[in-house]
Amino acid sequence: MTAPTTDAAPSGNDGAPLGQNPGHALHTPVITWFDEHARDLPWRRPEAGPWGVMVSEFMLQQTPVNRVLPVYEQWMARWPRPADLARESPGEAVRAWGRLGYPRRALRLHGAAVAIAERHGGDVPTDHAQLLALPGIGEYTAAAVASFAYGQRHAVLDTNVRRVLARAVTGVQYPPNATTAAERRLARALLPEDERTAARWAAASMELGALVCTAKNEACHRCPIAAQCAWRLAGKPEHAGPPRRGQTYAGTDRQVRGKLLAVLREAHAPVAQAVLDRVWHDPVQRARALDGLVADGLVEPLPGGLYRLPLT
């Protein structure tokens, strides 16, 4: 099924335009649903502050909430402010990251903490452009922190939001593999005009995608906008775009990298090459994974065939 262009205003289930703001008919039911069903997550509590929001956004990228929760709690107890993390070595950030995966995020979060301490007096900046200028902060994270921490009006497009908009408005099962300009235009067109409502809409639409409008086994009977969902009204046509990318792990370089890092995280002294050689049977793949960790700045080689987590 060909998606309609997003330059035209989306319409309601009767085919009529949704109004001056094309998302108006979506905002109230989704936000009302969120008010009742939102999960009580630590980064949503007032005491989390902007730094807690930023930490959660780094950790939640491609990682489910149940895996993030214990690491987040430990992280915030140890480093309640950016300056606390900035005083530590990057290797300590990698160590504390544990088995969340994609550990370069730990280095990027450490780099952002250093920049916040040096450029912004230790406070997470409120300005979207300043957030975007921090190391490791991309379009999504800057918008998410500005919205969730400071209640600003930004289009926050994660995988969950993109899926909700693809189905409810565009009428397709899944969004494209990578965020497109058309998706960004649509998300901006759907933003409530009021800043507080826009921030609430961002959180609510994300939660709807996480809990109800899921990638598989969507619960349309629990969806507050099922009656006007373009995909459901079209009979839920099967995905007609490029194949969805699956994530494999077993036997990949990612798995080997994880095993190598696990040894280094547990060690508080440099580790000999011979110890690292025991973690994986294929010497070529093992060497490639270790070289990749060194190139990414996650592992520091030392003279004498020793390795450690980075100190600088």
Side-chain angles (χ1 to χ4, degrees), residues 1-303:
M1 178 176 178
T2 303
T5 62
T6 56
D7 291 329
S11 60
N13 59 344
D14 60 355
L18 291 175
Q20 186 174 8
N21 185 319
H24 180 74
L26 304 176
H27 300 151
T28 298
V30 173
I31 292 172
T32 299
W33 171 88
F34 182 64
D35 289 341
E36 183 176 351
H37 297 284
R39 290 169 290 180
D40 178 20
L41 300 173
W43 45 85
R44 289 178 176 164
R45 299 170 192 159
E47 61 267 25
W51 172 239
V53 171
M54 178 177 284
V55 170
S56 76
E57 288 301 330
F58 271 80
M59 291 185 173
L60 287 165
Q61 294 166 21
Q62 303 182 68
T63 308
V65 166
N66 63 337
R67 289 184 58 200
V68 166
L69 281 169
V71 181
Y72 173 89
E73 297 280 15
Q74 294 164 11
W75 189 285
M76 293 302 296
R78 182 175 179 181
W79 299 309
R81 289 184 51 79
D84 301 318
L85 176 59
R87 284 191 287 267
E88 298 271 14
S89 70
E92 284 305 301
V94 175
R95 194 189 312 278
W97 198 256
R99 303 191 67 84
L100 282 183
Y102 303 98
R104 276 179 289 183
R105 292 179 293 167
L107 290 183
R108 292 168 182 155
L109 183 51
H110 181 273
V114 171
I116 290 169
E118 292 177 348
R119 304 177 198 167
H120 302 288
D123 294 322
V124 176
T126 61
D127 182 74
H128 179 266
Q130 291 180 330
L131 286 167
L132 200 55
L134 293 173
I137 301 282
E139 173 189 356
Y140 164 77
T141 305
V145 173
S147 178
F148 302 150
Y150 294 118
Q152 296 177 15
R153 183 179 182 270
H154 295 281
V156 182
L157 274 174
D158 83 331
T159 301
N160 291 312
V161 176
R162 293 175 62 225
R163 186 170 57 253
V164 167
L165 299 188
R167 291 176 180 174
V169 180
T170 314
V172 296
Q173 185 178 18
Y174 297 119
N177 284 334
T179 306
T180 65
E183 287 181 281
R184 294 186 182 96
R185 289 195 298 270
L186 174 60
R188 288 194 294 269
L190 292 172
L191 272 178
E193 296 300 324
D194 173 68
E195 277 205 337
R196 184 179 182 279
T197 307
R200 198 70 176 161
W201 160 252
S205 55
M206 187 177 296
E207 190 81 332
L208 186 67
L211 299 183
V212 175
C213 192
T214 51
K216 297 179 181 179
N217 303 316
E218 63 281 350
C220 296
H221 63 285
R222 295 194 288 114
C223 180
I225 53 173
Q228 62 197 87
C229 173
W231 181 58
R232 191 190 69 82
L233 293 171
K236 294 187 175 181
E238 292 290 330
H239 178 63
R244 306 293 296 168
R245 290 194 299 247
Q247 290 190 343
T248 57
Y249 184 72
T252 63
D253 284 4
R254 277 189 58 220
Q255 184 182 21
V256 184
R257 285 164 60 103
K259 287 180 174 292
L260 292 168
L261 275 180
V263 173
L264 293 164
R265 280 198 306 269
E266 293 298 321
H268 291 275
V271 174
Q273 175 79 59
V275 175
L276 295 177
D277 287 346
R278 299 177 196 147
V279 308
W280 196 252
H281 60 280
D282 183 341
V284 175
Q285 188 178 23
R286 187 179 63 238
R288 184 172 64 241
L290 183 57
D291 288 346
L293 289 171
V294 171
D296 289 342
L298 289 161
V299 172
E300 184 178 344
L302 300 172

